[in-house]
């Protein structure tokens, strides 16, 4: 119920109760003492008029000028409509009030009313077909209330296999609601409560490459299209990251990093120094040609100490050309290493050691299995990990540079752009304890996040798309090669229509819902026309509000048809007449009282 409806209901109820009291008192009075009928009728009429005028004084009806067009869209019922001779209803409007004209689209209405310079849009908002017709006209939007349920959803962008992803959204109409994220098998991956603004954040884990569907649902409410929404997740099968690992001595961290690289599908080359000039591994020479073939260098601080000046210079030159490099310094870096980093633009300082414990995930066994994955043949999932805290790890807090996003502490890793590449340093010690404790997933998440931050970027995505795609609505795909086709779920191949004025983008009008495959790579999920109605209504309102902000003219909402002071004076006059009639004895019975 809108506030306008609530106020009207209160005033109507109060007026009816007062009139009922008058009628009951009139009928209960003995015939000789009964007040005159005209008195009771006048009191009832004045009571109803006072309530009506009070409503109009508090919520005066709006009016629209002769150059303003009132546009009714979906869910416009019950919303205040300005008084105007130019009122149209678009096809989505449920009912057409008296005086309104049904129109097939906004462009047709504007052709019939060529003098219109401003629009008042009422309801859910303008459909995509009508937005271009607004042009530079001023626009005032009177939105309908959003239905209870999921109103916003932000799915993750394309992610790598095994990476952790985040789903954000907003719930309306429920206080203290709990939301849950379900994986494709229907298992709960994560749960969380909404904040005061109704917003939430859930996390999940991507498995194999490909396109899949998760679900977000509001718990403990009736299952409906408003309370449960599918979440498209695209796991990108990108080219493997080429990693070069340089260690100063054999240690458990090297073994854990080699296993992480293998599980992540990276191409690893490595070298371990044993002292006295002895080394092991297949690392190439540190020259420009060899480093150009790598995406990320993991460099132990002890290994850096053993490099010559030419190798150090080659590494920095390679970073400037696009290479990513992460220096692992679990102990305080030497002055020489600190100066070398400073010369590359990464000036960092370390503080006293701290302890840090990674988030172990859910305590429930089924949720933990869905959260961390089934494991592998030689390291299967251990049910005893549920509820068991992972080991705490030490690190040296860093200042300077930029912090990396991800599960680690914000001052554990810092990085800085250098030319086309990125250079970083991390001080976490003994991360090998995580896979030893059965939490290889947590170890992988840490190092994969840092690698994704620093590694040389791969090729750009084949196609780019923002927002939601729906059946029957235009989708703009950008970055497509000439002749690229889109394969629909029913096996048809559609050629997007190029738009020469849209910087290489092309238009697509999906006819069926589901995953659409792009020939050169990538996937596009298309929702049904009536799917996720809460998300659809939020998108309509957001696009219409954007048109109101982008209007070439600025105009305040339409003024009231009658100024509030006029309604106030009329209400004051009628209420004074009602009070005076109550006080006078005219029309009372010989001994009537209290009426």
């Amino acid at each position: 119920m809108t506030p306008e409806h609530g106020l009207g209901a209160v005033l109507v109820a109060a007026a009816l109760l007062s009139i009922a009291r008058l009628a009951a008192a009139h009928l209960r009075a003995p015939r000789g003492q009964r007040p005159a009928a005209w008195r009771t009728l006048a009191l009832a009429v004045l009571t109803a008029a006072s309530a009506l005028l009070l409503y109009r004084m508090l919520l005066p009806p709006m009016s629209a000028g002769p150059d303003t067009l009132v546009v009714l869209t979906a869910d416009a019922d019950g919303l205040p409509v300005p008084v105007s001779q130019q009122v149209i209803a678009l096809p989505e409007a449920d009912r057409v009030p008296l005086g309104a004209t049904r129109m097939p689209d906004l462009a047709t209405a504007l052709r019939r009313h060529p003098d219109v310079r401003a629009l008042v849009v009422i309801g859910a908002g303008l459909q995509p077909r009508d937005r271009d017709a607004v042009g530079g006209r001023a626009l005032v939007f009177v939105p309908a209330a959003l239905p209870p349920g999921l109103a916003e959803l932000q799915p993750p962008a394309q992610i790598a296999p095994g990476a952790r992803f985040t789903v954000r959204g907003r719930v309306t109409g429920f206080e203290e609601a709990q939301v849950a994220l379900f994986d494709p098998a229907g298992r709960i991956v994560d749960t969380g409560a909404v904040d005061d603004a109704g917003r939430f954040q859930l996390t999940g884990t991507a498995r194999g490459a490909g396109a899949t569907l998760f679900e977000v649902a509001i718990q403990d409410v009736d299952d409906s299209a408003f309370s449960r929404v599918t979440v498209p997740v695209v796991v990108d099968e990108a080219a493997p990251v080429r990693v070069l690992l340089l260690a100063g001595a054999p240690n458990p961290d090297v073994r854990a990093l080699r296993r992480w690289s293998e599980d992540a599908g990276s191409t690893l080359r490595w070298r371990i120094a044993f002292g006295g000039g002895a080394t092991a591994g297949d690392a190439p020479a540190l020259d420009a040609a060899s480093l150009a073939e790598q995406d990320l260098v993991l460099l132990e601080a002890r290994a850096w100490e053993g490099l010559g000046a030419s190798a150090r210079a080659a590494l920095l030159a390679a970073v400037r050309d696009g290479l990513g490099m992460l220096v692992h310094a679990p102990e305080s870096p030497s002055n020489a290493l600190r100066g070398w980093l400073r010369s590359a633009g990464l000036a960092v300082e370390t503080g006293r050691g701290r302890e840090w414990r990674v988030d172990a995930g859910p305590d429930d066994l089924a949720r933990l299995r869905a959260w961390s994955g089934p494991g592998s043949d030689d390291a299967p999932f251990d049910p005893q990990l549920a509820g068991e805290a992972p080991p705490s790890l030490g690190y040296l807090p860093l200042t300077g540079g930029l912090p990396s996003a991800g599960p680690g502490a914000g001052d554990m890793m810092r990085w800085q752009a250098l030319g086309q590449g990125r250079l970083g340093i991390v001080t976490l010690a003994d991360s090998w304890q995580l896979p030893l404790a059965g939490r290889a997933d947590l170890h992988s998440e840490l190092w994969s996040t840092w690698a994704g931050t620093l590694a040389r970027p791969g090729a750009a995505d084949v196609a780019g798309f923002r927002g939601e795609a729906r059946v029957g609505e235009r989708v703009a795909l950008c970055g497509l090669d000439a002749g690229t086709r889109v394969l629909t779920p029913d096996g048809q191949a559609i050629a997007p229509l190029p738009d020469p004025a849209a910087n290489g983008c092309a238009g697509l009008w999906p006819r069926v819902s589901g995953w659409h495959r792009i020939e050169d790579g990538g996937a596009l999920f298309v929702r049904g026309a009536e799917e996720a109605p809460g998300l659809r209504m939020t998108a309509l309102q957001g696009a219409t509000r954007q048109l109101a902000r982008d209007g070439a003219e600025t105009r305040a909402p339409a003024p009231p048809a009658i100024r509030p002071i006029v309604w106030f004076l009329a209400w004051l006059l009628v209420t004074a007449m009602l009070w005076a009639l109550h006080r006078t004895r005219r029309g009372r019975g010989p001994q009537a009282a209290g009426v």
Side-chain angles (χ1 to χ4, degrees):
M1 177 182 293
T2 64
E4 294 83 0
H5 290 166
L7 177 61
V10 170
L11 292 176
V12 168
L16 290 177
L17 286 174
S18 181
I19 293 173
R21 175 180 172 278
L22 287 170
H26 182 88
L27 296 176
R28 284 201 308 265
R31 285 190 176 273
Q33 301 177 4
R34 183 174 297 174
W38 67 264
R39 173 186 173 87
T40 301
L41 180 61
L43 288 172
V45 171
L46 289 174
T47 298
S50 177
L52 175 61
L53 291 172
L54 178 60
Y55 179 82
R56 284 306 185 192
M57 180 186 72
L58 297 175
L59 296 172
M62 308 300 287
S63 67
D67 62 346
T68 300
L69 180 66
V70 178
V71 182
L72 304 180
T73 62
D75 300 317
D77 292 345
L79 294 176
V81 178
V83 177
S84 174
Q85 295 182 353
Q86 300 184 122
V87 181
I88 68 162
L90 295 177
E92 297 77 30
D94 298 328
R95 284 178 287 183
V96 180
L98 293 177
T101 304
R102 179 76 74 175
M103 288 288 175
D105 52 51
L106 182 58
T108 301
L110 292 175
R111 285 195 297 269
R112 295 188 180 183
H113 302 277
D115 297 332
V116 167
R117 297 178 54 208
L119 304 171
V120 178
V121 178
I122 301 173
L126 294 176
Q127 299 288 332
R129 69 161 190 272
D130 298 317
R131 294 169 193 162
D132 290 340
V134 174
R137 296 174 177 87
L139 188 147
V140 175
F141 181 40
V142 182
L146 291 172
L150 288 160
E152 293 180 14
L153 189 68
Q154 181 183 347
Q158 290 188 338
I159 52 180
R164 194 70 45 83
F165 62 85
T166 301
V167 178
R168 296 179 175 86
R170 182 169 65 93
V171 172
T172 59
F174 296 99
E175 295 183 359
E176 300 180 356
Q178 291 281 334
V179 291
L181 177 66
F182 294 82
D183 68 5
R187 299 171 298 190
I188 295 181
V189 178
D190 192 16
T191 59
V194 301
D195 61 15
D196 294 339
R199 300 194 175 277
F200 63 86
Q201 177 175 308
L202 303 172
T203 59
T205 305
R207 299 302 173 204
T212 186
L213 293 176
F214 284 67
E215 275 191 327
V216 169
I218 305 175
Q219 295 183 302
D220 301 326
V221 300
D222 293 337
D223 197 8
S224 69
F226 290 95
S227 63
R228 180 179 291 268
V229 176
T230 56
V231 183
V233 176
V234 178
V235 183
D236 188 16
E237 191 173 9
V241 177
R242 299 167 296 181
V243 179
L244 174 59
L245 173 61
L246 302 176
N251 59 77
D253 267 329
V254 173
R255 181 181 182 279
L257 288 173
R258 291 178 62 185
R259 179 58 188 265
W260 157 75
S261 178
E262 178 183 344
D263 292 343
S266 302
T267 301
L268 177 68
R269 302 187 71 177
W270 57 279
R271 185 177 72 195
I272 301 176
F274 291 96
T279 61
D282 60 351
L286 299 183
D287 54 32
S290 299
L291 293 175
E293 297 179 354
Q294 307 300 319
D295 298 320
L296 178 68
V297 172
L298 298 178
L299 177 63
E300 281 195 350
R302 288 177 295 181
W304 181 89
E305 300 289 349
L307 296 178
S310 61
R312 296 174 183 175
L315 284 172
L316 288 185
V319 172
R320 290 188 177 92
D321 290 337
L323 177 69
M325 182 164 59
L326 179 60
V327 179
H328 185 204
E331 298 179 357
S332 183
S334 65
N335 290 334
L337 175 56
R338 206 185 303 263
W340 183 73
L341 293 173
R342 187 178 298 109
S343 68
L346 181 58
V348 294
E349 298 293 337
T350 58
R352 298 181 60 180
R354 297 178 182 174
E355 282 197 353
W356 171 77
R357 190 184 298 274
V358 66
D359 180 13
D363 296 336
D364 180 73
L365 177 60
R367 289 175 56 194
L368 180 61
R369 186 189 299 274
W371 196 72
S372 61
S376 58
D377 293 338
D378 56 345
F381 174 78
D382 185 1
Q384 296 183 356
L385 294 176
E388 181 177 340
S392 59
L393 306 176
Y395 76 98
L396 301 175
L398 292 167
T399 57
L402 301 173
S404 173
D411 54 356
M412 181 185 295
M413 182 271 196
R414 294 298 172 106
W415 64 276
Q416 188 68 47
L418 178 61
Q420 300 180 18
R422 293 179 174 183
L423 172 65
I425 180 172
V426 62
T427 59
L428 179 64
D430 301 328
S431 64
W432 55 269
Q433 294 188 33
L434 292 175
L436 187 64
R439 299 309 304 267
D441 59 314
L442 302 179
H443 179 271
S444 175
E445 184 181 9
L446 279 171
W447 288 95
S448 295
T449 300
W450 296 331
T453 300
L454 301 179
R456 189 193 307 270
D461 294 335
V462 175
F465 171 72
R466 292 182 180 180
E468 281 201 339
R470 287 187 179 269
V471 171
E473 296 184 5
R474 180 180 180 272
V475 178
L477 296 175
C478 300
L480 294 178
D481 294 334
T484 299
R485 298 183 302 172
V486 177
L487 305 179
T488 65
D490 56 5
Q492 297 185 9
I494 303 176
L497 184 62
D499 186 355
N503 297 325
C505 296
L508 178 70
W509 285 262
R511 296 183 178 179
V512 294
S513 61
W515 284 108
H516 289 58
R517 310 286 177 175
I518 302 174
E519 283 185 334
D520 291 343
L524 172 68
F525 179 70
V526 178
R527 296 190 187 276
E530 304 300 326
E531 184 181 350
L535 303 187
R536 177 179 176 81
M537 190 169 179
T538 301
L540 288 176
Q541 292 190 359
T544 306
R545 287 192 178 97
Q546 187 62 46
L547 289 173
R549 288 191 293 267
D550 293 344
E553 303 179 18
T554 57
R555 176 179 300 194
I562 301 176
R563 295 174 63 85
I565 187 62
V566 177
W567 292 110
F568 170 72
L569 294 176
W571 170 81
L572 186 61
L573 176 62
V574 170
T575 306
M577 293 172 59
L578 179 62
W579 176 83
L581 185 56
H582 265 292
R583 299 290 296 176
T584 185
R585 298 192 58 84
R586 289 180 58 84
R588 293 176 182 264
Q591 298 180 354
V595 179

